[in-house]
Amino acid sequence: MQLYNTLTRKKEQFKPVKGKCAGLYTCGPTVYDYAHIGNLRTFIFEDILKRVLVFSGYDVRHIMNLTDVDDKTIKNSQEKKQSLKSFTARYAKFFKEDIKELNIIFPEKFAPATAYIDEMVAIIKKLIKKEFAYQKDGSVYFKIKKFKDYGKLSGLEKRELKTGATVDVDEYDKENPADFVLWKAWTEKDGSVFWKTELGKGRPGWHIECSAIASKLLGQPLDIHAGAVDLIFPHHENEIAQSEAATGKKFAKFWVHGEHLLVDGQKMSKSLKNFYTLRDLKEKGYLPLAFRYFCLQAHYRSKLNFTWEALAGAGNALKKIWAEARDLPRVSPPARGGGSKEYEEKFSKAIFDDLNTPEALAVLWEMLKSDCPSGAKAASLLKFDKVLGLDIKKYLGKKIKPPKEVLQLAKQREEARKKKDWKEADKLRLEIEKLGYSVEDTPKGPKILEK
C-alpha cells in the first residue's frame, strides 16, 4: 500500500510501527456550527483511508478529536447565551448525524478537547522545563526559534522567523511564523470558560489538544496523522514542534492531507452565498450518498469543484450502480474467492496506489459492463463496497416493484418512442418522475429506477 507522505513529499510504502496494528489520528471538527461540505469531503477521504487500511488486513485504531474549546466555540456559545458544554454538545451531535448518513465509519473514540486538559498541562510543563516554552503575561508560548526542525512539514524552513513575536489567536495565517500560544491566560472575553491549573487560570490554545490526545490514546510515533491541506500550517506544523520538543520522539510517520473543495470554482464562503451543509443538499432533494460518490470521483489530493449539476450527475451514476446491483443475484458477503479475480486485482491496484478512488470507480463500471458471470460480479461488488461505502449490499438482488400506474406510463412511453413521438415520450417521462421513478433506456429495453 502506497501513500503520499506530506512530510517527505513522495509516495511511500505504508508500514505500521507495530505489526498489523495501524494507529490513525484524524483532526475532527470544531463543534461551533454545522460541518460544511468542504469539511465533509475531508472526512470522506479519511474514511476511505481507514477502509483501505482495513481492506489491507490491518487492525485499525482510529481516534478523532472534537475541538470543543477555542475562540470560535466560546464566542458563538456566548452569542447564543448557552454554556460552552451544551452548545458544543449540540453541534457534536449534528456532526455525528451527518457522517453517519455519509456511511463514514465512526472512530474508535471521539475525543473532546475539554476531557484532556490535564494531559495538555503536563506537555506544556515539560516544554517549559526544557525551555521550549516561556510564560508571558499569564500565557505560555512555544519558542519556535529553539525547535530547529520547525517548518519541515509545510516547507517554511527558509522563511524568516519573527523572534519574540507572539500569536494569541487560535487560527492564523502568517508568512512569517511567530511563537504560538500553548496556554491562554483568562480574560473577560472568555467569561466562565477557564480551568485553574499549575499554569494559572486560563484555557488551552488550539494546537496543543491534538498532541495531548494523540500521544495519550495512540502513543508516539503515530502511524498516520490525516487532515485537510489547510491544517498543514500552522496547526500540524505546531503539533510536530510541541510534540517532538516535549518527547524527543518523532510525532508521526505519515502525514496525509486532502485537498480543498471549491464551489463553482471559488473558495467556499458565507459572503459569496456558496456555503453549503449536508442539510442544504438534502433540502434540495439530493441523497447524502450522492455527495459521497461525487467526492470519490476525484483523487483526494486534487481540488474538487462542486456544482449542483455535478452532484446531480453523481446521484444518477450512483442510482445506476444500485439498479445494476438489483439485477444481480443476492450473495453472502464474500471472504476469499467467489468474485472476479481480474477486476478485484485491478481494484486493489487502484486503491493501494495512494487511494485512487477515481480509478477504482472506473474498474467497478468496467466490471458491470463486462460479460463477467453475474454471481462473480455480485461477490466482487460487495468487496469493492467495503472500501467505497455506497450501500450496494442494500440493493443487491432486490427487484424494484413499481406501482401499476408507473408501469402503465412506462409502457405508453415506450409506444410513443417507437412511433418517434418524442414530445409525448418526454411528457410521460416527467409524469413517471413525479411519482418518484425514472426510466433508463438500455439496449435490452427500458429500465425503471427509483429516484
Side-chain angles (χ1 to χ4, degrees):
M1 179 177 172
Q2 298 278 321
L3 282 176
Y4 183 84
N5 190 348
T6 307
L7 190 64
T8 59
R9 292 164 182 77
K10 63 183 180 182
K11 280 197 276 191
E12 298 176 10
Q13 184 175 350
F14 174 71
K15 189 177 179 183
V17 176
K18 294 179 183 176
K20 296 296 283 183
C21 182
L24 171 64
Y25 184 87
T26 59
C27 283
T30 302
V31 283
Y32 75 105
D33 203 344
Y34 296 108
H36 59 65
I37 58 173
N39 302 140
L40 295 174
R41 185 201 179 188
T42 299
F43 297 122
I44 289 169
F45 129 65
E46 292 167 347
D47 183 58
I48 294 294
L49 169 58
K50 178 179 178 176
R51 286 169 177 265
V52 171
L53 288 168
V54 172
F55 195 80
S56 303
Y58 292 112
D59 179 17
V60 180
R61 183 145 194 244
H62 176 202
I63 304 296
M64 180 186 287
N65 73 304
L66 296 174
T67 299
D68 60 349
V69 58
D70 78 329
D71 296 342
K72 289 176 179 175
T73 53
I74 292 171
K75 179 176 179 287
N76 285 30
S77 63
Q78 289 172 345
E79 287 174 356
K80 298 282 186 182
K81 295 182 168 52
Q82 295 177 12
S83 71
L84 183 70
K85 187 174 182 179
S86 63
F87 175 80
T88 55
R90 181 168 177 262
Y91 284 106
K93 177 176 174 286
F94 292 146
F95 169 70
K96 291 172 187 176
E97 290 171 356
D98 283 352
I99 64 172
K100 187 176 181 181
E101 288 196 273
L102 289 165
N103 271 357
I104 292 171
I105 300 168
F106 278 22
E108 181 179 318
K109 189 177 184 67
F110 287 107
T114 52
Y116 295 86
I117 300 296
D118 290 346
E119 287 79 5
M120 295 184 222
V121 169
I123 293 174
I124 295 168
K125 284 171 63 182
K126 276 186 184 178
L127 292 170
I128 292 171
K129 188 175 180 181
K130 291 186 171 187
E131 298 183 352
F132 279 101
Y134 58 91
Q135 292 176 298
K136 178 181 174 184
D137 300 326
S139 294
V140 182
Y141 298 89
F142 186 87
K143 194 187 298 182
I144 61 171
K145 194 80 172 178
K146 185 174 170 91
F147 186 71
K148 303 300 181 190
D149 284 341
Y150 193 84
K152 65 182 177 181
L153 182 71
S154 57
L156 294 171
E157 297 97 329
K158 295 177 181 177
R159 298 191 190 182
E160 183 184 346
L161 303 182
K162 284 189 173 180
T163 309
T166 57
V167 180
D168 280 293
V169 292
D170 288 324
E171 296 181 69
Y172 57 93
D173 183 16
K174 298 266 187 182
E175 278 297 305
N176 296 318
D179 293 347
F180 59 90
V181 68
L182 298 165
W183 184 262
K184 302 176 80 166
W186 179 85
T187 67
E188 288 185 2
K189 281 171 63 179
D190 291 334
S192 61
V193 180
F194 61 84
W195 284 262
K196 288 183 178 178
T197 73
E198 294 173 63
L199 300 172
K201 179 180 175 181
R203 64 178 175 92
W206 173 37
H207 311 295
I208 194 68
E209 71 180 76
C210 287
S211 292
I213 293 167
S215 58
K216 168 79 173 179
L217 299 178
L218 292 173
Q220 224 170 294
L222 309 173
D223 287 311
I224 303 174
H225 194 315
V229 289
D230 55 350
L231 294 180
I232 294 173
F233 182 82
H235 187 51
H236 289 165
E237 194 70 73
N238 291 350
E239 279 186 57
I240 290 174
Q242 63 204 11
S243 301
E244 297 187 359
T247 64
K249 297 178 186 174
K250 190 182 185 101
F251 183 45
K253 287 181 67 180
F254 276 81
W255 288 87
V256 187
H257 293 95
E259 254 294 355
H260 288 297
L261 180 77
L262 303 175
V263 175
D264 293 322
Q266 296 178 294
K267 189 174 178 182
M268 205 180 316
S269 162
K270 286 183 178 177
S271 62
L272 292 173
K273 296 182 179 178
N274 66 356
F275 185 95
Y276 303 121
T277 67
L278 192 62
R279 283 157 181 78
D280 296 322
L281 272 55
K282 287 161 60 182
E283 282 174 10
K284 286 184 175 284
Y286 294 99
L287 297 170
L289 289 187
F291 180 70
R292 183 180 177 99
Y293 186 93
F294 167 74
C295 291
L296 299 186
Q297 291 176 301
H299 192 274
Y300 77 92
R301 286 195 290 116
S302 300
K303 285 186 173 69
L304 176 58
N305 187 38
F306 175 89
T307 65
W308 293 109
E309 293 79 10
L311 181 62
N316 290 336
L318 178 61
K319 286 172 187 173
K320 284 179 182 177
I321 292 174
W322 289 343
E324 293 283 347
R326 288 179 188 277
D327 289 340
L328 298 174
R330 290 188 73 81
V331 295
S332 299
R336 295 175 183 272
S340 165
K341 185 179 178 183
E342 175 192 354
Y343 291 108
E344 286 181 14
E345 285 179 353
K346 287 182 178 180
F347 183 86
S348 296
K349 184 180 178 183
I351 59 169
F352 293 155
D353 181 14
D354 197 28
L355 319 179
N356 192 338
T357 55
E359 182 61 30
L361 285 176
V363 172
L364 182 151
W365 281 107
E366 185 186 346
M367 183 186 74
L368 287 177
K369 292 172 184 175
S370 74
D371 57 3
C372 183
S374 60
K377 279 186 185 179
S380 292
L381 269 182
L382 288 178
K383 290 179 184 178
F384 295 173
D385 207 40
K386 286 182 180 294
V387 171
L388 302 175
L390 297 173
D391 265 359
I392 292 172
K393 181 182 176 182
K394 182 177 170 183
Y395 296 91
L396 198 66
K398 187 180 177 184
K399 303 299 181 187
I400 292 178
K401 294 182 180 178
K404 287 181 181 179
E405 186 181 359
V406 171
L407 291 172
Q408 186 61 34
L409 288 167
K411 185 180 178 182
Q412 291 172 13
R413 178 180 175 274
E414 189 60 14
E415 289 170 358
R417 280 171 52 81
K418 285 177 181 176
K419 294 175 184 175
K420 297 189 177 180
D421 186 350
W422 308 120
K423 188 175 180 181
E424 179 66 12
D426 204 42
K427 178 186 168 187
L428 291 163
R429 178 183 60 79
L430 291 172
E431 286 185 41
I432 292 169
E433 288 182 355
K434 284 177 186 175
L435 294 170
Y437 292 84
S438 63
V439 181
E440 181 186 351
D441 297 308
T442 74
K444 294 178 183 179
K447 182 184 282 189
I448 299 174
L449 310 175
E450 286 179 320
K451 283 195 76 181

